[in-house]
Amino acid sequence: MEALLLGVGLLLGAYVLVYYNLVKAPPCGGISNLRGRTAVVTGANSGIGKMTALELARRGARVVLACRSRERGEAAAFDIRQESGNNEVIFMALDLASLASVQAFAAAFLSSEPRLDILIHNAGISSCGRTREAFNLLLRVNHIGPFLLTHLLLPRLKTCAPSRVVVVSSAAHRRGRLDFKRLDRPVVGWRQELRAYADSKLANVLFARELATQLEGTGVTCYAAHPGPVNSELFLRHLPGWLRPLLRPLAWLILRAPRGGAQTPLYCALQEGIEPLSGRYFANCRVEEVPPAARDDRAAQRLWEASRRLAGLGPEEDAEPNEDPQPEDPGVPPSLSTPHPEERTVSEPDLSPQSSPDLSKVIRRIRIKAEPETQVS
């Protein structure tokens, strides 16, 4: 009996150590009053996204839940309004698998919302499920859709600067290896899905890195955020039905609750003083080093160019400075962004590969390449 009690005690002690060192997430601090600011959170009808939106609403922000399912999105908006006491929480339809849906969302948002201070790309998939598309669905939802949405909303982010873009990534990016010759090939089978998921998460990290370089000096900063091991629908959604009852108790014990998973994205969105770390990767509310493949500036530039093509955008030299970029869909209206008196407008930088080098960008690339160990907590 004593041996049994000792064994139970050791197991409990080991679990406590694992929980507080690996599972429990540090709480997010940052700006406490967000009244007058607007945030968009994709995939906010459940899990990490819903908890992120709830915390933003509690701090007084106007929060747009950008979700694929109208029924679930409106239900989540109702829940958040009830729990936060903030009635400025609304649903807007967005399906990241459809470029037309991304364009329609951007058009609707720009025509109805005068501000955008925080854009959080939380939505994502880990498997294609039973869907078979003529393109890489994992890359489309996890990277190309967010890339296009950022591009379309960027002028509004600039007029509301200082503003932030947060891309929810994953530690799986460490297993990613982008093959630009096969970037948009359809994904078939679970082995290809695992590889494509890791590749899409690597794309998230490289996107945040290159976006930070492109936006140097505009007042818009961006960050890649790893939520940690989270017990969410993304973890269980694509498991065989017979396996879910077996893994649910284990997931409850060793994985973070969605509220814990929301802490690092919230930190990147709200923490003051991390602007010099724009483009970096965060985990557990602190900056973390990434492998060489995730800090390859040449690969980041190549991904940027490939993403423009896959998103249906024209060559970069066609973009007009100081104007909202227009998607191919003629139904998208021109920019309606009229800065508030307290806002400052920053001109669009020349993003064309042929443009003369910008000294600030060169310095930025050298500084990021060095990857200092600086941490902000």
Side-chain angles (χ1 to χ4, degrees), residues 5 20 22 38 44 65 81 85 129 142 188 237 271 275 314 318-319 349:
L5 291 175
Y20 281 99
L22 299 178
T38 299
L65 312 187
R81 287 194 295 266
N142 294 352
V188 179
R237 184 181 300 164
Q271 183 63 35
E275 291 81 4
D318 291 343

Side-chain angles (χ1 to χ4, degrees), residues 139 142-144 147 177-180 183-184 198-211 214 293-294 296-311 316:
L139 187 75
N142 294 352
H143 170 63
I144 300 300
F147 176 91
R177 294 293 182 271
L178 294 178
D179 182 349
F180 289 97
L183 202 60
D184 201 36
D199 291 350
S200 71
K201 296 292 104 178
L202 174 59
N204 291 156
V205 178
L206 289 173
F207 171 47
R209 185 180 185 86
E210 180 63 17
L211 184 62
Q214 299 279 4
D296 184 337
D297 288 322
R298 183 174 297 179
Q301 289 178 311
R302 192 175 178 187
L303 175 66
W304 183 276
E305 294 163 3
S307 299
R308 286 187 61 90
R309 185 183 73 254
L310 294 174
E316 284 190 305

Side-chain angles (χ1 to χ4, degrees), residues 172-244:
H173 81 271
R174 299 179 181 279
R175 301 192 303 272
R177 294 293 182 271
L178 294 178
D179 182 349
F180 289 97
K181 294 180 180 179
R182 304 173 58 88
L183 202 60
D184 201 36
R185 294 279 182 88
V187 177
V188 179
W190 66 270
R191 287 187 178 86
Q192 287 190 22
E193 286 183 346
L194 287 175
R195 167 66 186 274
Y197 177 75
D199 291 350
S200 71
K201 296 292 104 178
L202 174 59
N204 291 156
V205 178
L206 289 173
F207 171 47
R209 185 180 185 86
E210 180 63 17
L211 184 62
T213 301
Q214 299 279 4
L215 296 177
E216 180 75 20
T218 66
V220 184
T221 53
C222 51
Y223 312 88
H226 172 39
V230 179
N231 182 13
S232 67
E233 289 188 10
L234 191 65
F235 171 71
L236 294 170
R237 184 181 300 164
H238 303 298
L239 291 176
W242 62 269
L243 192 56
R244 293 179 190 177

Side-chain angles (χ1 to χ4, degrees), residues 256-326:
R256 289 177 181 171
R259 187 182 303 276
Q263 297 309 304
T264 298
L266 284 166
Y267 179 90
C268 291
L270 303 176
Q271 183 63 35
E272 296 175 293
I274 64 171
E275 291 81 4
L277 298 175
S278 180
R280 300 291 296 276
Y281 172 85
F282 285 74
N284 292 317
C285 296
R286 62 177 182 269
V287 71
E288 187 172 288
E289 298 305 310
V290 294
R295 57 176 188 267
D296 184 337
D297 288 322
R298 183 174 297 179
Q301 289 178 311
R302 192 175 178 187
L303 175 66
W304 183 276
E305 294 163 3
S307 299
R308 286 187 61 90
R309 185 183 73 254
L310 294 174
L313 298 169
E316 284 190 305
E317 59 265 28
D318 291 343
E320 292 291 335
N322 299 316
E323 292 183 8
D324 287 27
Q326 297 299 307

Side-chain angles (χ1 to χ4, degrees), residues 48-63:
I48 298 170
K50 186 175 182 180
M51 292 300 102
T52 301
L54 174 61
E55 183 59 33
L56 294 172
R58 281 175 170 163
R59 299 183 186 215
R62 177 172 175 80
V63 186

